[in-house]
Amino acid sequence: VFSLASPGKIDGRPVLVVNYRLTTKTTVDVKEVEGKEDCISYDVDGGLRGKIWIDPGTFEVMRLDQGLGGLVDIALPRRVAKRPGVNDRGTLERMDTSIRFKPVTFKDPDESLILPASSSSLRITRGAGTPRLRTSVEYSSYRRFLTGARIVQP
């Protein structure tokens, strides 16, 4: 579901802001990490909401923000939950991601692409060994690699 929000600014430039909400039901896929008996891995699908920041002149996406629409219960695998002192579930409180985009120009052939400039995320999980995890990434020095190919008939 999409809706137009109040206009915003990025780096002093006016932008269009579009709110969105995924309508698919939230699902969580939980697995044990192979070779690490005290670790689990989980993927959350659906139940997200966010904002898309768009350049009004070119309609290029300049920023994408996304987060959970509410708390998400994470049921631990049975084998993990049976361990002494381990809760049978955790709660994902926040799972926020923000990606900023910028134009990157390449030569030979001349081409400009909109690519990620930076990304940051914050994940807060009650009942986890690492309850808070913040990740920040800066992207720079993009390079393009061109190659050729040929089909060899048998």
Side-chain angles (χ1 to χ4, degrees), residues 44-95:
V44 177
D45 191 31
L48 300 171
R49 47 95 185 119
K51 291 183 180 195
I52 305 168
W53 307 68
I54 301 169
D55 181 306
T58 63
F59 298 105
E60 294 169 338
V61 174
M62 299 178 69
R63 179 174 163 179
L64 172 69
D65 294 342
Q66 182 170 275
L68 291 174
L71 300 177
V72 175
D73 281 336
I74 302 169
L76 298 181
R78 203 174 295 202
R79 205 168 87 167
V80 173
K82 286 183 178 180
R83 295 188 188 127
V86 174
N87 293 328
D88 65 342
R89 63 186 55 252
T91 303
L92 187 56
E93 291 182 15
R94 288 183 65 181
M95 188 175 73

Side-chain angles (χ1 to χ4, degrees), residues 32-33 35-40 80 83 129:
E32 291 182 62
V33 175
K36 306 229 181 212
E37 64 181 55
D38 60 342
C39 290
I40 63 162
V80 173
R83 295 188 188 127

Side-chain angles (χ1 to χ4, degrees), residues 44 49 68 108 111 113 124:
V44 177
R49 47 95 185 119
L68 291 174
D108 193 26
E111 183 177 38
L113 301 173
I124 299 176

